[in-house]
Amino acid sequence: MQPTLLILAAGMGSRYGGIKQLDQFGPNGETIIDYSLFDAIRAGFGKVVFIIREELRQDFEEVFGEKLAGKLEVDYAIQALNSYVPAELGAVNRTKPWGTGHAMLCAKNHTSTPFAVINADDFYGLEAFQLISNFLTTDTDDQLHAMVGYEVKNTLSENGSVSRGVCEVAENGNLISVIERTKIYEQETNGKKIVFEEGETLTPLSPDTPVSMNFWGFKPTVFPLVLHQFESYAIANIDSPKAEFYIPTVMTNLIETDTGHCKVFRSRSEWFGVTYPDDKPTVQAALKQLHDDGAYPEKLW
């Protein structure tokens, strides 16, 4: 059974200033999603589910529908503000989506196979897709999930702070904890060092600290557990319009309640993605170099 790829593409792009999911970065106008799809097909995925806002559906169908015909089954899941929010809470007073964990939940009825979850605006590389695909097609433990971890030094932006899930990993390779840190950057004072900022406190991070770039692999049995978690979260945060239910929150709860575990595949590859407008030239240059080096054909499609 071929695994399914869920692509988180409902974000607002507030720091980027536009719909970066559909912006063109490759030498032939490719989006970053194009490279993820190309690699996913090579790694054996059989279906993609775009998790989007309703107003983006027509654009996604126009950009990806024809090029994927006959190559990959395509489906769309809508992340609406009231999706899976308990009805007794009434109207949802917020404009920002509920976060990546909620987005994943919105694909609950769109896949019955083991599945991977990725961000739309991150480039992961073929190796990551092969690792997760092999795991999803061979591992039979319904409670064991997976993620690809990247060294934090390879995931920073020169143009501002970034959000990363900072991981602690056991000797057996399983995840102990992952905590979303929303402000990580390289500090120049008294020599370069990587820190995360929380309130007025700066905490240093070792350059090789594994972080989550939201490349996860899950068994479909996780969905009822995620639904239960989100309903509780929504009840507790219905009056907090900026609160977000992250996938690391989901995984932490699974580990703490002994209802799930997570295998960490370590990658030392150079990750790259788009957070700020000034990141675009760097990503364009990196993708062009990959084409020039033969990692991708002259034209993907």
Side-chain angles (χ1 to χ4, degrees), residues 80-159:
L81 297 178
N82 62 344
S83 297
Y84 295 101
V85 174
E88 62 268 22
L89 296 180
V92 177
N93 182 26
R94 61 187 291 143
T95 58
K96 188 175 185 179
W98 279 99
T100 56
H102 178 249
M104 184 177 84
L105 178 61
C106 290
K108 176 176 176 289
N109 296 325
H110 296 264
T111 180
S112 58
T113 73
F115 62 93
V117 186
I118 65 169
N119 289 337
D121 53 354
D122 289 342
F123 176 90
Y124 298 99
L126 177 60
E127 178 195 28
F129 287 92
Q130 291 173 328
L131 287 169
I132 290 293
S133 178
N134 182 64
F135 169 79
L136 294 175
T137 53
T138 60
D139 187 86
T140 58
D141 183 351
D142 281 344
Q143 287 194 331
L144 183 62
H145 311 290
M147 64 161 280
V148 178
Y150 291 78
E151 295 183 351
V152 67
K153 67 182 180 184
N154 293 329
T155 73
L156 302 178
S157 169
E158 296 177 353
N159 301 303

Side-chain angles (χ1 to χ4, degrees), residues 247-265:
I247 292 176
T249 305
V250 170
M251 186 56 70
T252 297
N253 183 273
L254 295 177
I255 294 170
E256 290 179 347
T257 59
D258 201 29
T259 53
H261 307 283
C262 182
K263 180 73 175 177
V264 178
F265 295 102

Side-chain angles (χ1 to χ4, degrees), residues 41-279:
I41 292 170
R42 291 197 285 179
F45 284 79
K47 179 179 178 179
V48 61
V49 179
F50 294 106
I51 305 172
I52 55 176
R53 305 191 305 275
E54 180 63 51
E55 60 266 30
L56 295 177
R57 177 162 185 156
Q58 183 176 344
D59 291 333
F60 269 76
E61 290 177 342
E62 290 176 356
V63 172
F64 299 108
E66 184 176 346
K67 69 178 64 170
L68 293 178
K71 300 180 181 71
L72 201 63
E73 183 183 349
V74 179
D75 197 3
Y76 299 89
I78 304 302
Q79 185 182 13
L81 297 178
N82 62 344
S83 297
Y84 295 101
V85 174
E88 62 268 22
L89 296 180
V92 177
N93 182 26
R94 61 187 291 143
T95 58
K96 188 175 185 179
W98 279 99
T100 56
H102 178 249
M104 184 177 84
L105 178 61
C106 290
K108 176 176 176 289
N109 296 325
H110 296 264
T111 180
S112 58
T113 73
F115 62 93
V117 186
I118 65 169
N119 289 337
D121 53 354
D122 289 342
F123 176 90
Y124 298 99
L126 177 60
E127 178 195 28
F129 287 92
Q130 291 173 328
L131 287 169
I132 290 293
S133 178
N134 182 64
F135 169 79
L136 294 175
T137 53
T138 60
D139 187 86
T140 58
D141 183 351
D142 281 344
Q143 287 194 331
L144 183 62
H145 311 290
M147 64 161 280
V148 178
Y150 291 78
E151 295 183 351
V152 67
K153 67 182 180 184
N154 293 329
T155 73
L156 302 178
S157 169
E158 296 177 353
N159 301 303
S161 64
V162 296
S163 296
R164 302 287 181 255
V166 177
C167 303
E168 183 182 359
V169 182
E171 289 186 5
N172 66 359
N174 281 2
L175 187 67
I176 296 174
S177 67
V178 54
I179 300 174
E180 191 76 11
R181 302 298 184 186
T182 58
K183 200 169 185 180
I184 299 175
Y185 55 90
E186 191 169 58
Q187 187 184 41
E188 300 286 346
T189 308
N190 299 324
K192 288 186 177 181
K193 62 181 178 181
I194 300 171
V195 299
F196 70 82
E197 183 178 323
E198 197 166 33
E200 297 182 357
T201 302
L202 297 181
T203 303
L205 287 173
S206 172
D208 61 356
T209 299
V211 296
S212 164
M213 302 309 301
N214 259 355
F215 199 139
W216 302 90
F218 287 99
K219 313 297 173 52
T221 49
V222 78
F223 279 124
L225 301 174
V226 179
L227 175 60
H228 177 71
Q229 286 187 41
F230 176 71
E231 288 177 339
S232 298
Y233 185 88
I235 291 170
N237 292 277
I238 193 64
D239 294 322
S240 302
K242 294 185 178 181
E244 291 192 65
F245 180 66
Y246 296 115
I247 292 176
T249 305
V250 170
M251 186 56 70
T252 297
N253 183 273
L254 295 177
I255 294 170
E256 290 179 347
T257 59
D258 201 29
T259 53
H261 307 283
C262 182
K263 180 73 175 177
V264 178
F265 295 102
R266 299 287 291 266
S267 173
R268 291 177 173 82
S269 299
E270 187 81 20
W271 164 95
F272 55 88
V274 184
T275 302
Y276 302 95
D278 288 344
D279 292 330

